[in-house]
Amino acid sequence: MNLSTVYMSMKLRNPIIVGSCGLTGTPDKVKACADAGAGAVVLKSIFEEQIESDLGNMTDEGAWYPEAVDYISNYGMQNAVSSYLELLEKSRSLVDIPIIPSIHCFGKGNWTDFAKQLENAGASAIELNTFILPSDPRRTGRENENTILDIVSDIKSQISIPVAVKIGSHFSSISAFASELDGCGVDSIVLFNRFLRIDFNIEKLNVINGSLFSTPDETEQVLRWVSLISPVTSCDIAATTGIHDGEAVVKQLLAGANAVQICSTLYKNGLGVIADMHGFVADWMHRHNYNNIEDFRERLSQRNSGNPAEFERVQFMKTSVKA
Ligand SMILES: Cc1cc2nc3c(=O)[nH]c(=O)nc-3n(C[C@H](O)[C@H](O)[C@H](O)COP(=O)(O)O)c2cc1C
């Protein structure tokens, strides 16, 4: 069975990409992902603050994105740029699958020159991990969206390798924003990042980290939006969040994804999940007489499913749950 696919003009041997996380944070771990059968890897993100600080542009820790402070205390600040380039170059020498560095960014600045260095160091593409928590009551959604669009336009004008933009789901009109990203020339939209959550300890009365890993039911939200957005954009789509097994991979491909990105299931169940996913997808394709992924990809997107209204039904009027 031919599991190969094209993602951002790159030929992948299969559509399963290890998403940006600690499992792609060292060259040996990247090699382990490739040996386990990944179609591509997205490297652990470098933060905009690290790049700016290396450039000598930023010293005020108070102005940092809160997550960057945590990240930098774990991964270090010194020589972040050279360490990241070394991660890319060493990984490049160990594996022959596409390697996609990831930059966590939330504002335009000098750090964008770094994308060119990544291109020169052998990056196959770049993923921008864009996130602005819409928590500031004085800042409109339009302002947040414009910031992301500005970053994308800037990066696109500087490099010739493909650019993916990973977004969260906090937009008042995701489809309209996805169309705008598409209009800026992005090569892929990654739907959706799953951000760190909060929880409360009701005995100690304090705030604690919420669940670090996704659960399989979280993939349903992604399925709706991949189905709705893939037909209205010309760029590729990578689905992520809650994809834990081969069945979920097939569903996202049917919705129109060109590839999927996985993390939580690898942490929970080990890298062998990738081979299990290959096996499931190949067996499913065999049972349905499909030889290639393109034979069925997007078959159940909103445009192709034959019942577009089904994708926009969000109220419970028609469900028949017995009380
Ligand atoms: C431990 C951990 C670290 C992560 N680090 C990053 C990161 O550096 N950059 C990023 O874009 N996403 C990061 N993510 C998010 C994942 O790439 C992915 O989008 C998210 O976990 C949803 O996919 P999943 O349901 O397969 O876990 C991280 C996730 C986990 C669990």
Side-chain angles (χ1 to χ4, degrees):
M1 206 58 64
N2 179 10
L3 295 187
S4 69
T5 190
V6 175
Y7 177 57
M8 299 199 286
S9 309
M10 303 178 290
K11 182 154 187 195
L12 309 191
R13 57 185 173 170
N14 66 72
I16 296 155
I17 300 174
V18 178
S20 177
C21 64
L23 299 171
T24 59
T26 68
D28 287 347
K29 288 181 180 177
V30 169
K31 182 169 184 318
C33 293
D35 290 347
V41 293
V42 183
L43 296 180
K44 175 85 193 152
S45 300
I46 184 169
F47 274 71
E48 167 187 324
E49 289 90 336
Q50 290 179 291
I51 307 168
E52 289 284 5
S53 185
D54 253 25
L55 291 169
N57 289 339
M58 211 173 160
T59 48
D60 178 13
E61 216 175 287
W64 289 4
Y65 204 69
E67 220 179 341
V69 180
D70 291 348
Y71 182 94
I72 287 161
S73 59
N74 281 330
Y75 288 87
M77 167 62 84
Q78 293 302 311
N79 307 316
V81 165
S82 55
S83 301
Y84 201 76
L85 290 170
E86 198 179 307
L87 165 64
L88 170 61
E89 282 162 356
K90 277 202 180 152
S91 303
R92 183 68 293 153
S93 70
L94 293 176
V95 305
D96 56 10
I97 57 172
I99 301 177
I100 307 171
S102 161
I103 305 175
H104 177 281
C105 48
F106 60 96
K108 218 174 116 179
N110 295 330
W111 65 267
T112 55
D113 296 345
F114 180 56
K116 188 79 203 159
Q117 294 183 51
L118 291 170
E119 179 174 34
N120 293 338
S124 312
I126 287 179
E127 186 170 290
L128 300 175
N129 169 8
T130 56
F131 187 56
I132 303 165
L133 189 75
S135 58
D136 183 344
R138 293 156 304 181
R139 206 175 144 88
T140 65
R142 184 70 266 179
E143 284 175 276
N144 289 339
E145 289 166 4
N146 282 342
T147 301
I148 296 173
L149 294 170
D150 280 352
I151 294 171
V152 171
S153 301
D154 190 17
I155 296 279
K156 276 298 290 180
S157 70
Q158 296 197 37
I159 56 176
S160 52
I161 52 175
V163 175
V165 179
K166 187 179 189 183
I167 59 172
S169 54
H170 301 288
F171 294 94
S172 57
S173 176
I174 303 175
S175 297
F177 184 58
S179 296
E180 284 184 288
L181 285 171
D182 193 30
C184 281
V186 298
D187 300 276
S188 167
I189 304 175
V190 184
L191 303 170
F192 295 109
N193 203 348
R194 182 183 189 276
F195 304 103
L196 207 55
R197 296 158 181 224
I198 62 150
D199 199 356
F200 290 165
N201 180 324
I202 60 168
E203 299 309 323
K204 293 184 177 167
L205 298 182
N206 60 359
V207 183
I208 55 174
N209 282 343
S211 56
L212 182 59
F213 300 125
S214 65
T215 52
D217 57 309
E218 291 179 42
T219 200
E220 290 173 359
Q221 198 209 176
V222 182
L223 199 59
R224 178 195 296 269
W225 288 108
V226 171
S227 306
L228 290 172
I229 289 174
S230 62
V232 297
T233 49
S234 59
C235 64
D236 288 350
I237 303 284
T240 186
T241 291
I243 300 165
H244 284 226
D245 56 23
E247 185 178 346
V249 176
V250 170
K251 287 179 183 176
Q252 296 295 346
L253 295 171
L254 283 168
N258 300 80
V260 300
Q261 295 188 5
I262 58 169
C263 289
S264 292
T265 188
L266 299 175
Y267 277 101
K268 286 182 175 176
N269 305 311
L271 293 175
V273 168
I274 298 172
D276 294 345
M277 287 176 166
H278 293 167
F280 184 96
V281 177
D283 182 56
W284 179 88
M285 285 169 66
H286 179 69
R287 284 193 286 112
H288 290 265
N289 292 322
Y290 294 126
N291 294 319
N292 299 292
I293 285 178
E294 277 310 309
D295 296 343
F296 67 92
R297 198 181 65 76
E298 220 187 307
R299 176 86 190 264
L300 291 182
S301 71
Q302 186 185 35
R303 181 173 53 198
N304 297 334
S305 76
N307 190 0
E310 205 69 60
F311 293 83
E312 295 183 19
R313 183 165 293 139
V314 288
Q315 306 296 351
F316 290 92
M317 307 299 181
K318 279 195 173 177
T319 52
S320 53
V321 185
K322 286 201 178 114

